[in-house]
């Protein structure tokens, strides 16, 4: 009974380490520890327990962990952050925007901007962000929006 208690303690410690790392390695070892605890209740002796711990841990590390990691990656949503979240957003032109300069209001902030269109965008017009180049929003007119985004995809 004392070996089973030690294996359970080992499994709990490994589970706590897993909560800090979230890499599933220590979880597989904790499962091996629980298997060793069950073995100690059925088969007397330290060597069978250690053998079950090693075999179970290796099997779970090699078979279950890769599958779980893959499932975790599939379940994550593709959330765009930072400048990537600004692509495709609508802006208001507050200072005429041409191929080299201008100003737009993007998410309540004033950004320097330039257009990829041949004709300038006038004050009061709406435009869309095609890309962020440093601290400059590269924008396109509403009319050219779909054409510009199709070119970027292709």
């Amino acid at each position: 009974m004392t070996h089973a208690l030690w294996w359970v303690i080992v499994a709990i410690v490994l589970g706590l380490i897993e909560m800090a790392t979230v890499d599933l390695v220590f979880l597989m070892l904790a499962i091996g520890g629980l298997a060793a605890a069950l073995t100690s209740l059925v088969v007397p002796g330290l060597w069978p327990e250690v053998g079950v711990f090693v075999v179970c841990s290796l099997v779970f590390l090699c078979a279950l962990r890769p599958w779980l990691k893959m499932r975790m990656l599939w379940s994550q949503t593709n959330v765009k952050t930072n400048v990537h979240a600004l692509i495709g957003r609508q802006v208001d032109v507050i200072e005429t925007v041409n191929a080299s300069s201008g100003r737009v209001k993007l998410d309540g902030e004033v950004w320097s901007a330039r257009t990829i269109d041949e004709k300038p965008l006038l004050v009061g017009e709406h435009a869309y962000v095609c890309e962020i180049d440093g601290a400059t929003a590269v924008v396109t007119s509403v009319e050219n929006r779909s054409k510009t985004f199709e070119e970027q995809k292709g």
Side-chain angles (χ1 to χ4, degrees), residues 7-154:
W7 283 114
V8 169
I9 291 171
V10 166
I12 290 172
V13 169
L14 290 169
L16 291 173
I17 294 171
E18 177 61 38
M19 288 182 359
T21 62
V22 194
D23 195 34
L24 302 179
V25 171
F26 291 100
L27 177 63
M28 302 302 120
L29 297 175
I31 294 171
L34 291 175
L38 290 174
T39 302
S40 73
L41 296 175
V42 177
V43 179
L46 181 63
W47 291 113
E49 299 164 18
V50 172
V52 166
F53 172 75
V54 169
V55 169
C56 284
S57 296
L58 286 175
V59 167
F60 285 123
L61 277 170
C62 295
L64 183 61
R65 182 177 177 268
W67 181 79
L68 286 174
K69 292 282 281 186
M70 187 171 42
R71 294 286 299 184
M72 286 172 55
L73 289 174
W74 283 346
S75 68
Q76 292 177 352
T77 57
N78 188 11
V79 178
K80 294 182 178 181
T81 59
N82 302 329
V83 297
H84 302 291
L86 301 175
I87 307 298
R89 300 292 285 273
Q90 184 175 346
V91 296
D92 297 319
V93 177
I94 59 173
E95 181 183 298
T96 302
V97 179
N98 57 33
S100 60
S101 66
R103 298 233 180 252
V104 295
K105 189 167 248 187
L106 172 61
D107 277 349
E109 297 179 354
V110 176
W111 280 67
S112 61
R114 62 183 166 84
T115 183
I116 59 172
D117 302 329
E118 291 181 19
K119 75 172 202 171
L121 301 170
L122 304 176
V123 175
E125 286 188 83
H126 296 292
Y128 289 91
V129 178
C130 297
E131 66 178 283
I132 302 293
D133 183 17
T136 302
V138 180
V139 298
T140 187
S141 65
V142 174
E143 296 85 32
N144 293 335
R145 177 182 184 211
S146 60
K147 183 176 80 170
T148 302
F149 286 108
E150 287 301 320
E151 288 172 1
Q152 286 181 351
K153 287 180 186 176

